[in-house]
Structure formats: structure tokens, C-alpha cells
Amino acid sequence: MAETHRVVYWIQRLSEIALIGWLLLLLLIDAGMAASSNGPTMWPGVICGVVGILAVLWRRTRRVGGLTVLLGASFLLTLITGISRVGAVPGLAETGSLLILTIGALRWIEPISRAGLFALASMIVLETAAGRLRDEAPALATGFVIFVGWAVAAGIGAYLRFQLERRKEAVRSVRRAERLELARELHDLVAHHITGIVVQAQAARVVAEGKPEAVVPALDAIAGAGADALTSMRRLVSVLRAEDQADRSPGTTLMDMRTLVERFSAGGPQVAFDIGQGITDSTLAPEVMTTLHRILQECLTNVRKHAPGAGWVEADLRLSDGSDQRARSGRGPGARRDPRDQAGPGTAWVWLRVRNYGSAADIRISRLGGGFGLVGMAERVEALGGRLTAGHTPEGAWQVLAEFPV
């Protein structure tokens, strides 16, 4: 699997190099045509070509700004040549850069109406650039060729945008389904806590008849149970209110996790599941326990789906003060803000780490997956104030690490 990622990385890099090399070749042709001409009228097109190449190089960080500058420069050049009535040829590098940026605009710029406006502006600028030719027949022929190129670029960009929007809708569907499931699970959580409160209140009433002094501790227990219920419900309701959050189910225990591992080991790779000291069913909140169970289930499902030939799987559940987890998750100085930094050094953390060894992913099987399992796991973890990372380890294993404050 690591080898596959390296191959994909180098394919992307080589594609970028080939793209820039193609534009530079077009720029050299433009410069040669300008040098062989009798006047300086061709050199502004070369300058626009340089601006276009820079815009393509910076398209990942300055997509809108680069495209806007290139559109303005190209249109200004066409306007100047029209006013001065001096014939010129549309730059090849300028035209190629505009077509490439049109593809990127249709794919990435939000909202889609804004992307469509940029694509339309690109078509207008390209067609007016064909009018730099003073002869009508060459101008019409050049305009037709440019329009065909723009139509191909727009079609590619629209198709890529369609794929992107379809994936976004699939992710939204997954989240809606999880939120609907959470609405049902919220009823079970409320019933669980309220039942406990009612039982304790009835017990306090019975105790009050014989031992009035024991009522106060019973009332304290009822107040504590009510506070736990409110905390759990507040967490779950916050997930319902936030569109980008995921669900968790109450009622999972460590025995459920062990049973899950045993069932998986019976029909798949052997799983070594180790629970650290200090972790019991009462140590962790119901929401955290259930989320840990969901993550373990998803990780084992992914092993069976994407790495059916894995030699073995390691799963570790540990408590920590948070001091050693940055090194374990591989967080560098440039990483995004970590929730552990906000929790403070005194906050205890529980972490679940799942690793599988001995097999790269079967590409034929990996293509069947949509990649939404990691989306759901990350949503559940972040809903509880935690963090989830997934990736390759230096030893060549695939690792999923989930961390929660407790």
C-alpha cells in the first residue's frame, strides 16, 4: 500500500512537470515568432504567456487571483491592439494557460455559479483574443479552433466537478443517515439514565422511612446521575444540531469489544487486543465507549475489505496523560491545531490504536470502497473533542489512532 501511494505521488509530480514543460514549449514558440517578426507587436503576447504560466504554477494557492490577473491582462492586450489597429496573434502559452485554469475553475471554485461565470469570462476573453488578427478569415478560423479547445476544457472541468459534487453528496448522505440513527439512539440513552434516576428515587423513599440520615447520600447519588444524564444528552444533542457531526450509541462495554475481536479472529487475521490498566466499563463515558467500539469495528472491517491477506492485527486501548501521544500520532510543527493543546496538560486521554501488518491493499477490492468509513470515524471522534489520524507507519503497517479526553 505504501508503494502504491509513492507511485501515485510520482505520477502526480511527473504530470505537473509535463504540464509546465508543455506550456514552456508553447512560450518558446511564441518568443520565436515574436523574434522573427518585424515589429514589437508580438511581445505583449509573450508577456501574457509568462503571466499565464505563473498563474498555472500558483493555481493551488491563488486560483481565483491568478485566473483574474490572466483574464485582465489578456483582455487588456486585445483592447490595446484593437484601438491601435495593429494585428497580433493570440499567444499559444496564453491560450493554453487559460484553458488549464478554466478546467481548475470549473472543478474547484465555490460556489458553482461563480465557477461558471469564470468559465464564461474565459471563453469571452479567448474569443476576443482571436480578433487580434486583422484578416477576417484567419480570425474566424482561429476563433473556431479556440472555441473547440475551450469546449473540451469546459467539458473536462464540468465532469470533474460532477464527480466532486457526487462525492460530497454521498458524504452528506452518510452523515444524514448517522444523524437519523443518533435520533433513535438518543431515546435509548435518555431511557437508560432516567430509569436509573427513578430507581434511586424509589430506593431513597424506602430508606427514608427507616433511616432518614441515609436520604442525603441517596439524593446526592440522584443528583450525580442526573448530571451524568444531562452531560451525555448535551453531547448527543450537540451532534444533532451540528450538520457536520456524527453519531454514537450508548450501552457498549469492553466485553462487546472483546467479542467483536474474537468473531473477527475466527474468520480473518488474528487480532491481538490489549486493554491497558485502569480502563473499565465505568472509567469511560458511554459515548466514548460506544465510539471506541464503532472505530474498532470499522478498522477491522477495513482490514477485511482492503487488506484481506494481512498477517495479523494489533489493537491497543490505553489511558495516558497526553504527554506521549504527539509522538505516537506523528504530529509535526506544521500540523493543524490539536485539541490536546486546548485541553491542557492535566487532562487524561484514552487512545485506541489499530494496526495491520503483512499485506498491501488489493487494488481490485480497494476500488469498491468509497472512503466514507474514515469520514464517519473522524466525525465521531471530533464530536467528542478528540482527534483521529490514519496512515502508514515507518514499519510499513497501516495505523488508525483515535484519541479522546476523559
Side-chain angles (χ1 to χ4, degrees), residues 279-326:
I279 298 181
T280 63
D281 291 334
S282 59
T283 304
L284 306 176
E287 301 83 13
V288 174
M289 186 70 74
T290 301
T291 305
L292 290 171
H293 181 273
R294 293 280 186 94
I295 293 173
L296 180 60
Q297 183 181 42
E298 185 67 33
C299 290
L300 296 180
T301 300
N302 286 342
V303 170
R304 179 169 291 161
K305 183 177 182 181
H306 298 292
W312 72 96
V313 181
E314 289 182 359
D316 298 299
L317 185 62
R318 293 281 188 273
L319 281 176
S320 171
D321 60 0
S323 60
D324 61 335
Q325 282 157 263
R326 287 173 177 79

Side-chain angles (χ1 to χ4, degrees), residues 97-133:
S97 299
L98 277 173
L99 294 178
I100 292 171
L101 293 176
T102 298
I103 295 175
L106 284 173
R107 183 180 184 183
W108 296 113
I109 291 181
E110 297 288 351
I112 192 170
S113 58
R114 189 184 183 194
L117 289 176
F118 271 107
L120 180 61
S122 175
M123 187 266 291
I124 294 174
V125 169
L126 285 169
E127 289 300 311
T128 54
R132 298 174 192 172
L133 297 169

Side-chain angles (χ1 to χ4, degrees), residues 234-405:
R234 188 177 296 113
R235 286 178 174 175
L236 293 178
V237 171
S238 67
V239 176
L240 278 174
R241 288 177 176 174
E243 180 177 354
D244 291 335
Q245 302 297 330
D247 63 299
R248 304 166 302 278
S249 306
T252 304
T253 64
L254 292 176
M255 183 56 65
D256 295 327
M257 299 179 71
R258 291 191 180 277
T259 302
L260 175 65
V261 168
E262 291 173 358
R263 290 177 179 175
F264 179 85
S265 299
Q270 293 296 311
V271 181
F273 183 40
D274 190 13
I275 300 178
Q277 295 182 352
I279 298 181
T280 63
D281 291 334
S282 59
T283 304
L284 306 176
E287 301 83 13
V288 174
M289 186 70 74
T290 301
T291 305
L292 290 171
H293 181 273
R294 293 280 186 94
I295 293 173
L296 180 60
Q297 183 181 42
E298 185 67 33
C299 290
L300 296 180
T301 300
N302 286 342
V303 170
R304 179 169 291 161
K305 183 177 182 181
H306 298 292
W312 72 96
V313 181
E314 289 182 359
D316 298 299
L317 185 62
R318 293 281 188 273
L319 281 176
S320 171
D321 60 0
S323 60
D324 61 335
Q325 282 157 263
R326 287 173 177 79
R328 185 165 43 248
S329 63
R331 181 173 181 252
R336 76 176 192 178
R337 195 171 186 181
D338 196 314
R340 291 185 295 259
D341 298 333
Q342 302 177 359
T347 303
W349 289 80
V350 61
W351 55 267
L352 173 66
R353 181 177 60 191
V354 182
R355 292 179 174 180
N356 64 279
Y357 296 83
S359 174
D362 188 330
I363 300 300
R364 295 170 298 177
I365 297 177
S366 299
R367 288 174 180 171
L368 300 176
F372 303 118
L374 283 176
V375 174
M377 285 194 289
E379 294 294 326
R380 296 182 189 116
V381 174
E382 292 173 4
L384 293 176
R387 179 173 180 265
L388 183 138
T389 56
H392 294 281
T393 66
E395 297 81 10
W398 176 264
Q399 171 180 288
V400 176
L401 177 65
E403 306 160 83
F404 306 87

